[in-house]
Amino acid sequence: MTNSVIYDAYDKLKLDTPAEGVLRITISEPGRLNAVDAAAHRELGEIWRDADRDDAVRAIVVRGEGRAFSAGGDLSMIEEMTRDHATRLRVFAEARDIVYNVLNCSKPIVSAVQGPAVGAGLAVALLADISVAGRTARIIDGHTRLGVAAGDHAAIVWPLLCGLAKAKYHLLLCEPVTGEQAERMGLVSLCVDDDQVHDKAMEIAVRLAGGAQEAIRLTKYSLNNWLRLAGPSFDASLAMEFLGFTGPDVTEGVRALREKRPPSFG
């Protein structure tokens, strides 16, 4: 561990240093495809600031434990958001932190995407500076299927990466994208065979950790200004997403997911 005191509070994220200067963040809920519950959602918002403050960290790898990156938000957390205004406000602030703290972390971030990547986990995967996806990875923004607007990271990054027409197609229809398709669309940086994802992500992180740190960080900052320009669109889309948690569609969306059937919206 680089600076264990900084990371003592983390429980849902496993943290280790597999190479000098590289912090590896593992979303760890393998029995549930690394679904993000309330605690994990909070930690995904906070870890980037702590890693940024750690002088021993020069690059970051983020991955999911086992064969999945993350299956998205835990349904119990979503149901609580539909019932309680204070919960909605808290999760709204955390969702905003996830996006802006990844964006503003000065250290380069590499995501290793295997299996399903949905929700808050997908936000991290696609906002990472370099994203490495397995050929059969399954990338899906499931918001409209759930009955909630595609806020989260969607408006800030999808149109920039793959263009507005493709973004609308996949966000409005919740149409899944494989890792291979995602690379062709420009949604991820690189696609490799599934069994090479973690090794390739580590290889890239080690190269970044060994590079000229000031030059790398200033380049990241400059390039991310394209995303900062979309900040107002992101803020509005996130507000619209959370407005949806007050309506009836999300209740049907959650029920349909629990019952493993297509939703029937009014």
Side-chain angles (χ1 to χ4, degrees), residues 60-63 108-112 128-132 201-202 204-205 208:
I60 301 168
V61 170
V62 58
R63 67 175 188 171
I109 301 167
V110 183
S111 59
D129 302 298
I130 297 175
S131 47
V132 181
M202 273 301 305
I204 292 169
L208 289 167

Side-chain angles (χ1 to χ4, degrees), residues 179-197:
E180 205 160 24
Q181 292 170 322
E183 184 188 43
R184 287 201 300 267
M185 291 165 53
L187 200 58
V188 299
S189 308
L190 186 66
C191 174
V192 297
D193 291 338
D194 292 343
D195 61 357
Q196 297 176 10
V197 172

Side-chain angles (χ1 to χ4, degrees), residues 122 126 139 141 153-172 175 177-178 181-189 227:
L122 179 59
L126 294 187
I139 294 169
D141 187 288
H153 66 294
I156 198 170
V157 73
W158 279 70
L160 183 63
L161 294 180
C162 65
L164 190 58
K166 286 288 188 184
K168 286 183 176 180
Y169 177 74
H170 289 281
L171 296 174
L172 295 177
E175 187 72 14
V177 184
T178 67
Q181 292 170 322
E183 184 188 43
R184 287 201 300 267
M185 291 165 53
L187 200 58
V188 299
S189 308
L227 293 169

